[in-house]
């Protein structure tokens, strides 16, 4: 039951994040919204892992490992986007 | 199937090149460091193609000896080696063309270009050989990050904005894809395509996961109407980068869609395929018309890419058989993919040389080009031939096969769209050619002949694909249907 | 009881998400994101995924939040990607997003019971690998290729980030942060936290083989400490084109590939760990990876080089 | 050996075109034009019946030279030679002569290759090369008129290609085996194809466009006159014959499809008279000649139709023979228009005399190639109304040609001094073509199965002559009594079609604006979700909802 609750929370986060990603005009807020979608998706993975608990483990380690990889990738994406934003909001660079 | 380490090295050689670039940054010129890795990767890809063609079996490797569903495999089948060979040849052509950097190149842009080029190569080879849904995700992210940085390489405001839009939209696509992967795992606890093929059912969860992955990948491949990011990104990147982006990078997500729909769960022909073909048709018609109205050569070529991506999506309803890889629609679509790869790479590189020579790429002011850069222009024209789908070219054979498939399946509207797209493409190519052949004697910077030759060679590759026999091409069926790896022999 | 716990975590998550999307102030949204990250990490603990919780706390909430907060401080004007959506478009987007949420929720409820699982399969080979934490085993053995390429993703991100810098700053250091003299309190805090944090990081790294923890978590902690030191003026930001930076970045993937190649000879397969020395090899590779990850993370948070070398 | 000669027919022009990439060669390219068609000429003389497999089985690119092919190949090669020599002089000072030469050589390669290919892919290849490369010839002058003409030409040529491609695909589906069937094999299965009627419609549309069958003729009166003189000659003489070759190769003569034959006869004869009527209103001699080409191609189409209806296996040779006559004569006439423009003084009389003979040859003047051509094909039409109409088409041609000659006379420079004469570089090719029309067509008459004795018998001569007399009389009457002819712009129907142009532009504008909207971030984002949900719903519906059970 509690697992399901987290699953539904994940689904809601995906929806909220997608909405923000679509309608927010500024890029920084879009980036935040993307991270919300990411959090929702990862939470869904966590729920899947928890549901698949077996063999004495509290969760299936494969989706957990995938989430760890996914979080790092999402961070790299955020860093790249942040750099672009910083360049764009800074003064015009002489070539 | 043959157990072979070649696919692993094909993925890792460019990574080693990237590491070498980082290690040697301070004392060697980046192109010198990258060159051996470019050569080695080319050799690996071509020898894999040779291996697969001679043995008629895919090359497979289970990493660490761990079999799916726990472990990961890399597998180069017929389609995989075709695309890897395409990638290798295009990359080599681009590398030759970028060997002498343009005059305004800086240490930053040169180092970054070569490093990102190798990164892209690794990502593409991974996308073409991976068998695991999450492995695809990693490949796509490597691809997107490298591609975004390439788009922004010139550092102009326009390029930066284009890169940002590209990145954010690609991320939206990836996250939807990842959600689909999650649902598949929750349903089957398997992410390996061959394993899934044995157990997957067309039930609600599986289909929803497929829809999520497909929609996410469509955003990444810039299928109309999800194309907002592509024109400014491909037109704003430095020309060699545009060539790789347009010719190769948008193909990787498409190939994954194709594999999902063919390898994972063979669906009976129905509404979804028609939707995909419908979007493809809209892409062809709308984007060709817009290409026709562009004032800048690179934007025209970018819109042409959108239209040509549309052709790829026409193939979904055109392979209705139980073994789609035996249908001519399959051969036609994949030939379209390959010939567009060569032709578009040649076209963007030609546009780049034209830009270098003239200092601009305004279509209306290309006069005098024919006299001063005949080789570049010939390459542009030959590539254009393939885009128009005129003989003798890979584009023609591809169009012919798709057309035949459309007639055979009674999809008359698809036949009409293919023909109309060819006419529109001819108009935009001839428009540019007509201006280039006009009188004029603008000041022009010299461009080394070997670079023009590399572009011509790529265009001739597109031409050579026109001599593929007009029938289901045996190479493209090697390794299908997927078989689960039972044990490491 | 667990339902209550879940509810106390889920509600703030939802409220936080809504706040982040709805608030007009970007700064408020960013602080909201920090809080959100904290609750998210707790949710992961509640889901019995401590490994993920650590990663989420360190990277998902911590490093990302830090990065964005710093970005917000540096931005002179907001960057817009086109005109804002009109009311009709907003309603349409809201409806579509709600539909996606509903569909996704329904799908999650429709998943089969009992859930298929690879948990048993991941446990079985653990003794041969000499590690006790199955998540680490997935990362370093079964799906080692993913992990190797994930480091490559970080590498690409660093290369991309440098590519996005200015020509003037090429090969130099990132701009200092905060600009000006660091506050004495921060310096004091840094001096206090850094040694303790380093000890904890070593512990995390070491237990990662058998218990929750591991290279990522340890590396992020080290990276965070380094950033703290940079902020406090106790350590320089890494020089992006520097000799050691390049070496540090390359050593992780190179060590992984070398170990993989040794696997061909010693265990018959690329990226296989030869049984007697599996654990030491894994630890050596993880150490190399940790070096690369720390440097990559610091570079990614610190931003592209904008200062010339030698200044 | 003969096979190699066949390959050289199109390979030499192609190779010459490629040398344009090499700067030192570029200067001499224009001068090399007359030599380029020589292998084709040799092939037409030496290699009829020869064949060559260019690429083996799966591709099956095959060359083969049969009798009709040899006729058209030889005739084309002759005209390409003469026009090439003419062009070498005519365009020597042009700044765009290299580009002209490249387009010229590509067009030549396509048109020559078209006469000798036996498989469908190669046929489409050469057909396309010929028709698209000719775009460069039409557009060469870079005037607004040339711009408009080349755009219309291009659009219709591409439309024709599209019709043909679809027809070929449908044809190949019925043919045995997969891949690239030989034309003859595919056509043998045409009658049994489920797509038979669609294929025939598309073939007639595609080839009719090239030949200028009404109402697909609209590009010709625009395109032929705006090109440089030698290019007009090959456009009107040779390129339109691509359609004739297509009909010869692809219509199933000897099959049981009488209705289609009758329809084609009707379409052809209607074209023949319609073009005369419009041509009579045109002031410019080159435009009149273009309408005459439309009219003559109508006759050829009628010949093909009559052959189809009667099931006569000789039709290809007869149609080719008629086309050969038209090719040489029309080539000479276009070259002659340029010569007339340079005439003056004592040279005027002889030049106009030659032009008169050539012009009336088109109407079937006895002892000219026209009389022989008309004599050869007359039996196909039988005795009915079609035969009468075909005979009366000569009356129409007489009218049109007399009109042409009147308009031509206005071109002679009024102020030229008595010693003025056209330069030899223009005069010789013109005279050579005029001579060739007599010689070649005369020598080839036996190939059609007719005998000289019968062809020159008084009865045959009278049959050729009375329609011309009638035409002459009508011309006098028209000249005397007819009101001033209405001003019909060249291209007649195209003017109506061009009314739709602004609407097309508006549509394109609208598309561009729609694209801008779609590329707005929130719109694209919402579309992504919409697509996701739509795709998902479509997939669920097509599979039927089905909840998984573990």
């Amino acid at each position: 039951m509690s697992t399901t609750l987290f699953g539904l929370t994940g689904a809601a986060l995906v929806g909220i994040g997608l909405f923000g990603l679509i309608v927010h005009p500024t890029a920084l807020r879009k980036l935040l919204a993307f991270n919300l979608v990411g959090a929702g998706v990862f939470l869904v993975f966590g729920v899947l892992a928890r549901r698949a608990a077996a063999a004495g483990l509290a969760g299936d380690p494969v989706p957990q490992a995938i989430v760890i990889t996914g979080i790092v990738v999402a961070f790299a994406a955020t860093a790249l986007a942040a750099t672009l934003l910083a360049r764009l909001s800074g003064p015009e660079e002489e070539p | 199937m043959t157990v072979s380490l070649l696919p692993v090295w094909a993925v890792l050689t460019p990574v080693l090149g990237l590491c070498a670039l980082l290690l040697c940054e301070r004392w060697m010129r980046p192109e010198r460091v990258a060159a051996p890795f470019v050569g080695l990767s080319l050799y690996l890809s071509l020898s894999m193609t040779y291996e697969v063609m001679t043995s008629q079996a895919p090359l497979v490797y289970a990493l660490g000896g761990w079999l799916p569903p726990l472990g990961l495999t890399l597998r180069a089948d017929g389609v995989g080696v075709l695309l890897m060979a395409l990638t290798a040849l295009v990359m080599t052509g681009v590398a030759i063309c970028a060997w002498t950097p343009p005059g305004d190149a800086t240490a930053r842009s040169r180092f970054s270009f070569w490093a990102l080029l190798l990164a892209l190569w690794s990502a593409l080879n991974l996308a073409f050989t991976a068998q695991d849904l999450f492995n695809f995700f990693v490949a796509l992210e490597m691809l997107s990050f490298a591609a975004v940085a390439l788009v922004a390489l010139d550092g102009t405001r326009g390029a930066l904005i284009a890169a940002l839009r590209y990145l954010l939209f690609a991320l939206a696509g990836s996250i939807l894809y990842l959600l689909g992967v999650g649902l598949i795992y929750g349903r089957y606890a398997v992410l390996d395509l061959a394993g899934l093929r044995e157990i997957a059912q067309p039930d609600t969860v599986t289909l929803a996961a497929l829809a999520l992955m497909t929609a996410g990948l469509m955003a990444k491949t810039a299928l109309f109407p999800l194309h907002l990011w592509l024109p400014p990104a491909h037109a704003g990147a430095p020309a060699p980068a545009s060539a790789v982006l347009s010719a190769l990078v948008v193909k990787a997500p498409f190939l994954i869609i194709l594999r999902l729909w063919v390898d994972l769960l063979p669906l009976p022909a129905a509404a979804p395929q028609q939707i995909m073909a419908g979007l493809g048709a809209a892409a062809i018609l709308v984007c060709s018309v817009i290409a026709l109205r562009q004032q800048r050569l690179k934007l025209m070529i970018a819109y042409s890419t959108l239209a040509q991506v549309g052709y790829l999506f026409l193939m979904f309803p055109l392979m209705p058989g139980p073994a789609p890889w035996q249908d001519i629609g399959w051969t036609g679509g994949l030939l379209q993919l390959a010939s567009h790869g060569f032709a578009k790479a040649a076209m963007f590189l030609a546009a780049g040389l034209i830009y270098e020579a003239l200092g601009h790429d305004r279509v209306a002011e290309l006069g005098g080009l024919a006299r001063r850069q005949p080789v570049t222009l010939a390459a542009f024209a030959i590539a254009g031939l393939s885009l128009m789908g005129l003989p003798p070219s890979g584009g023609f054979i591809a169009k012919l096969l798709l057309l035949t498939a459309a007639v055979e399946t009674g999809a008359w509207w698809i036949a009409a769209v293919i023909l109309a797209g060819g006419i529109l493409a001819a108009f935009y190519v001839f428009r540019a050619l007509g201006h280039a052949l006009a009188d004029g004697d603008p000041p022009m910077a010299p461009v080394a002949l070997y670079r023009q030759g590399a572009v011509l060679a790529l265009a001739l590759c597109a031409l050579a694909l026109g001599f593929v026999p007009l029938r289901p091409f045996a190479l493209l069926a090697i390794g299908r249907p997927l078989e689960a790896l039972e044990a490491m022999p | 009881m667990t339902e209550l716990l879940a509810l106390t975590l889920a509600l703030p998550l939802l409220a936080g998400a809504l706040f982040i999307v709805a608030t007009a102030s970007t700064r408020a949204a960013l602080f909201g994101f920090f809080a959100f990250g904290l609750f998210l990490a707790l949710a992961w603990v509640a889901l019995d995924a401590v490994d993920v919780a650590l990663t989420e706390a360190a990277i998902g909430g911590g490093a990302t939040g830090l990065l964005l907060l710093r970005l917000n401080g540096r931005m002179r004007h907001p960057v817009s990607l086109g005109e804002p959506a009109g009311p009709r478009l907003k309603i349409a987007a809201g409806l579509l997003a709600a539909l996606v949420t509903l569909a996704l929720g329904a799908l999650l409820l429709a998943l089969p019971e009992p859930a298929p699982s690879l948990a048993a399969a991941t446990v079985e080979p653990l003794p041969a690998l000499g590690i006790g934490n199955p998540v680490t085993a997935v990362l370093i053995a079964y799906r080692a290729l993913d992990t190797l390429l994930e480091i490559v993703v970080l590498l690409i991100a660093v290369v991309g980030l440098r590519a996005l810098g200015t020509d003037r700053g090429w090969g130099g250091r990132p701009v200092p942060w905060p600009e000006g003299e660091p506050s004495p309190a921060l310096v004091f805090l840094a001096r206090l936290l850094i040694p303790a944090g380093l000890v904890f990081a070593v512990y995390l790294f070491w237990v990662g083989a058998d218990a929750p923890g591991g290279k990522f978590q340890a590396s992020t902690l080290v990276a965070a400490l380094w950033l703290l030191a940079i902020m406090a003026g106790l350590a320089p930001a890494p020089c992006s084109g520097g000799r050691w930076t390049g070496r540090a970045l390359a050593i992780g993937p190179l060590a992984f590939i070398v170990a993989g190649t040794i696997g061909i000879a010693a265990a018959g397969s690329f990226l296989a760990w030869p049984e007697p020395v599996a654990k030491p090899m894994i630890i050596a590779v993880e150490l190399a990876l940790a070096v690369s990850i720390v440097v990559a993370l610091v570079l990614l948070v610190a931003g592209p080089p904008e200062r010339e070398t030698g200044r | 050996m003969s096979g190699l000669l066949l390959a050289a027919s199109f390979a030499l022009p192609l190779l010459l075109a490629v040398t344009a990439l090499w700067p030192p060669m570029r200067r001499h390219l224009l001068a090399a034009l007359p030599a380029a068609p020589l292998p084709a000429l040799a092939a037409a003389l030496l290699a009829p019946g020869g064949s060559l497999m260019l690429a083996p089985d799966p591709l099956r690119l095959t060359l083969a030279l049969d009798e009709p092919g040899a006729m058209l190949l030889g005739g084309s090669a002759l005209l390409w030679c003469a026009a090439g020599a003419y062009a070498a002089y005519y365009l020597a000072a042009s700044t765009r002569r290299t580009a002209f030469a490249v387009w010229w050589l590509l067009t030549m390669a396509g048109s020559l290759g078209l006469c000798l290919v036996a498989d469908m892919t190669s046929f489409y290849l050469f057909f396309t090369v010929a028709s698209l490369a000719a775009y460069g010839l039409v557009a060469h002058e870079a005037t607004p008129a040339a711009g408009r003409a080349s755009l219309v030409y291009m659009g219709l040529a591409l439309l024709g290609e599209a019709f043909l491609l679809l027809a070929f695909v449908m044809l190949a589906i019925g043919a045995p085996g997969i891949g690239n069937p030989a034309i003859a094999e595919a056509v043998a299965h045409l009658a049994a194809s489920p797509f038979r009627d669609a294929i025939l419609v598309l073939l007639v549309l595609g080839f009719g466009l090239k030949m200028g069958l009404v109402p697909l003729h609209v590009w010709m009166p625009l395109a032929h006159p705006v090109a440089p003189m030698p290019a007009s000659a090959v456009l009107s003489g040779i390129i339109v014959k691509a359609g004739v070759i297509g009909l010869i190769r692809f219509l199933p003569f000897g099959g049981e499809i009488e209705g289609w034959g009758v329809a084609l006869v009707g379409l052809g004869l209607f074209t023949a008279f319609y073009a005369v009527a419009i041509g009579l209103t045109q002031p410019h001699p080159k435009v009149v000649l273009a309408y005459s080409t439309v009219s003559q191609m109508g006759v050829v189409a009628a010949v093909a139709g009559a052959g189809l209806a009667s099931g006569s296996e000789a039709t290809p040779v007869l149609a080719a023979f008629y086309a050969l006559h038209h090719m040489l004569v029309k080539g000479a006439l276009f070259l002659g228009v340029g010569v007339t423009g340079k005439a003056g003084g004592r040279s005027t009389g002889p030049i106009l005399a030659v032009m008169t003979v050539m012009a009336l040859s088109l109407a079937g003047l006895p002892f000219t190639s026209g009389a022989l051509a008309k004599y050869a094909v007359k039996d196909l039409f039988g005795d009915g109304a079609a035969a009468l109409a075909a005979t009366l088409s000569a009356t129409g041609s007489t009218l049109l040609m007399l009109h042409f000659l009147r308009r031509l006379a206005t071109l002679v420079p009024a102020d030229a001094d008595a010693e003025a004469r056209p330069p030899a570089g223009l005069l010789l090719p013109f005279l050579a073509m005029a001579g060739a029309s007599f010689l070649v067509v005369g020598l080839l008459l036996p190939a059609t199965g007719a005998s000289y004795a019968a062809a020159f018998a008084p009865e045959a001569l009278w049959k050729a002559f009375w329609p011309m007399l009638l035409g002459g009389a009508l011309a006098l009457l028209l000249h005397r009594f007819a009101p001033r002819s209405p001003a019909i712009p060249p291209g007649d129907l195209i003017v109506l079609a061009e009314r739709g142009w602004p609407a097309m532009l508006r549509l394109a504008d609208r598309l561009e604006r729609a694209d801008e909207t779609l590329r707005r971030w929130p719109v694209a984002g919402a579309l992504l979700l919409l697509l996701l949900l739509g795709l998902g719903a479509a997939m669920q519906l097509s599979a039927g909802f089905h909840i998984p059970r573990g």
Side-chain angles (χ1 to χ4, degrees), chain B residues 367-372 374 377 433-440, chain D residues 13 16-21 25-31 33 87 91-92 94-108 132-142 228 231:
Chain B
L369 211 58
R371 191 171 339 174
R372 304 287 291 278
L377 199 65
L433 275 182
H435 283 295
L437 286 169
D439 272 333
Chain D
L16 280 172
V18 171
T19 59
L21 296 179
M25 185 59 205
R26 246 178 278 167
R27 218 167 313 135
H28 309 292
L29 206 54
L30 193 67
L33 293 187
L91 287 154
S94 164
T95 50
R96 282 195 306 279
R97 58 180 186 275
T98 311
F100 180 85
V102 171
W103 289 119
W104 180 274
L105 289 164
L106 291 176
T107 314
M108 183 191 299
L132 292 193
Y135 163 84
L137 301 180
V138 177
H140 176 80
E141 298 284 7

Side-chain angles (χ1 to χ4, degrees), chain D residues 2 82 85 209 339 479:
Chain D
S2 65
L209 233 163
V339 173
H479 186 58

